[in-house]
Amino acid sequence: MYTDILIRYGEIGLKGKNRKTFEKILVRNIKECLRDLGQFNVERTYGRIYLRQVDGLIDQIVERLARVPGIVSLSPVVKTGLDMEEIKEMALRVLEDALPDGGTFKVETKRANKNFPLISPEINRQVSAHLLINFSKELKVDVHNPDTVVFVEVRSEHVYLYSKVIDGPGGLPVGSSGRGLLLLSGGIDSPVAGWLGMKRGVIIDALHFYSFPFTSERSKEKVIELAKVLARYSGKMRLFIGYFTNIQKAIGLKCPERLHITIMRRMMFRMATEIAHRYNAKVLFTGESIGQVASQTLESMEVINAVTNIPVLRPLITMDKTEIMDLARKIGTYEISIQPYEDCCTVFVPDAPATRPRLKDAEAAEKDLMIDQLIKEAIERSTVLIITPDGVEAEYSLAEEQGVML
């Protein structure tokens, strides 16, 4: 019965003269996420986007669009002309689909077409009366807590009817806010931070620090699985597998044990900054939350931040673990994150890590490290994976991948 999908956006509508630019990016992202299902006609009107003629693919399309940042909600709809009898009959079909065993309902009308001869309350009354007379099962009106709502939207040339409203992520379309680099571990927090960045319109590349043989091949596979989930929201993403083995060996040999985590994070930020500059990422994203572990005290973050010259965004900084876990379940990364494969942030944790390190102590502890040489070697030995929701599309050494922009 449903032939079209009505797509709603929220914040984009507040963008004034830039609104069309944001709409075009959202339409591009919608087409990209449906590309393997076919070519669809997408129409933009003020405050709405319509996907036309999706018969037979409604469920698949709705499932995918519900993950596209920028979409607030969507509804499968039927379309009629402006004739009231036609509207009433189609409303009956919508209600029969939504309430096959009967129940309670109400009708809600939005009348964007101010030339339509009936006002919204009168449309509600006429459609409701038609449904009560012609519905074959027991039916009552409940305006406060109905089992279903029959929505009627009166536009200039057509009327749209529907009963389902499916939530989307909201926010801004990916690609409207520049590019950022996510420090992606195998844990619960950093994938959520990346998703929140995507929701604000940022193209997210991810950097995972890989320290074989201290961390296993399974830990890398776990991170690839997390990236595949994130790619469902952005369509495609770049995952850097940062070679970190020799850096961790050097820290273990030459730095005080209590500062190992602080210095390891400083080396990670140095490497991330170098890669961000190469790929035009304007910010770093991390999954840090105040006080969660030794490296996430305010003093630790100040000392770690001192090695980078680009902004570090921490979308989870004030959330507690329960809130973060709830979001991880919502976006589909939680069950992967809790698999027991450790990353290099966890395998080298000392018994008594410094929780309030001082910058001068960290700088003194690094004096015997050949920092520039270690970072240069690490980047040369790193690889880049192009991740889609279905798997790894391509793999390059970091040097080979230069110039391939997503």
Side-chain angles (χ1 to χ4, degrees), residues 84-85 88 118 121-131:
M84 270 306 292
E85 294 307 313
K88 292 175 187 175
L118 301 179
E122 183 59 28
I123 297 171
N124 291 342
R125 281 193 291 273
Q126 290 196 21
V127 172
S128 296
H130 183 79
L131 297 176

Side-chain angles (χ1 to χ4, degrees), residues 84-85 143 155 188 214-215 256 265 273 290 320 347 354 369 381 383:
M84 270 306 292
E85 294 307 313
V143 297
R155 295 273 162 169
I188 294 171
F214 306 118
T215 55
R265 295 291 291 174
T273 301
I290 293 177
D320 61 36
V347 295
L369 292 179
R381 299 181 67 171
T383 56

Side-chain angles (χ1 to χ4, degrees), residues 112-271:
N113 177 2
K114 300 305 180 187
N115 294 319
F116 193 77
L118 301 179
I119 60 175
S120 296
E122 183 59 28
I123 297 171
N124 291 342
R125 281 193 291 273
Q126 290 196 21
V127 172
S128 296
H130 183 79
L131 297 176
L132 288 168
I133 291 170
N134 294 285
F135 197 71
S136 59
K137 302 290 177 60
E138 185 176 350
L139 189 67
K140 292 181 180 178
V141 173
D142 183 342
V143 297
H144 299 294
N145 188 29
D147 295 327
T148 195
V149 179
V150 176
F151 295 96
V152 180
E153 286 205 15
V154 182
R155 295 273 162 169
S156 58
E157 296 180 352
H158 299 100
V159 175
Y160 298 92
L161 299 101
Y162 57 92
S163 63
K164 296 178 182 175
V165 178
I166 299 103
D167 291 335
L172 299 172
V174 172
S176 61
S177 301
R179 182 179 296 272
L181 180 62
L182 168 70
L183 276 62
L184 180 64
S185 72
I188 294 171
D189 303 341
S190 55
V192 176
W195 179 79
L196 288 170
M198 291 176 181
K199 189 181 170 187
R200 296 310 303 163
V202 180
I203 299 171
I204 294 291
D205 294 329
L207 168 59
H208 176 69
F209 297 95
Y210 184 52
S211 191
F212 186 83
F214 306 118
T215 55
S216 67
E217 184 71 16
R218 296 295 295 273
S219 71
K220 185 170 77 173
E221 291 171 0
K222 175 182 170 183
V223 169
I224 291 172
E225 291 301 311
L226 289 170
K228 286 165 60 179
V229 175
L230 291 177
R232 294 178 194 166
Y233 298 91
S234 62
K236 186 179 288 189
M237 70 182 300
R238 185 188 282 113
L239 172 62
F240 300 97
I241 302 296
Y243 175 80
F244 209 64
T245 305
N246 285 349
I247 290 177
Q248 283 202 300
K249 285 181 179 176
I251 293 171
L253 288 172
K254 298 182 178 179
C255 302
E257 183 176 342
R258 64 183 297 274
L259 288 173
H260 279 185
I261 293 298
T262 303
I263 295 170
M264 183 181 71
R265 295 291 291 174
R266 282 164 61 88
M267 294 299 281
M268 288 178 172
F269 271 41
R270 288 182 173 109
M271 193 167 164

Side-chain angles (χ1 to χ4, degrees), residues 327-348:
L327 265 178
R329 291 188 182 94
K330 176 182 174 182
I331 66 175
T333 56
Y334 180 79
E335 294 298 330
I336 302 171
S337 291
I338 62 173
Q339 292 175 12
Y341 307 117
E342 294 181 314
D343 56 47
C344 58
C345 289
T346 55
V347 295
F348 284 95

Side-chain angles (χ1 to χ4, degrees), residues 346-385:
T346 55
V347 295
F348 284 95
V349 176
D351 292 336
T355 57
R356 301 182 189 284
R358 297 184 301 178
L359 180 58
K360 65 178 183 180
D361 294 336
E363 290 174 342
E366 291 173 339
K367 64 180 174 53
D368 292 330
L369 292 179
M370 302 179 69
I371 293 174
D372 291 344
Q373 183 176 327
L374 285 168
I375 295 296
K376 183 173 183 294
E377 181 211 18
I379 289 177
E380 288 175 351
R381 299 181 67 171
S382 295
T383 56
V384 192
L385 310 180

Side-chain angles (χ1 to χ4, degrees), residues 72-105:
V72 169
S73 65
L74 57 150
S75 297
V77 300
V78 290
K79 183 174 67 176
T80 77
L82 299 176
D83 178 74
M84 270 306 292
E85 294 307 313
E86 189 181 355
I87 294 168
K88 292 175 187 175
E89 282 304 307
M90 196 55 77
L92 181 60
R93 292 183 60 187
V94 169
L95 188 62
E96 288 171 342
D97 178 69
L99 281 182
D101 299 321
T104 60
F105 81 104

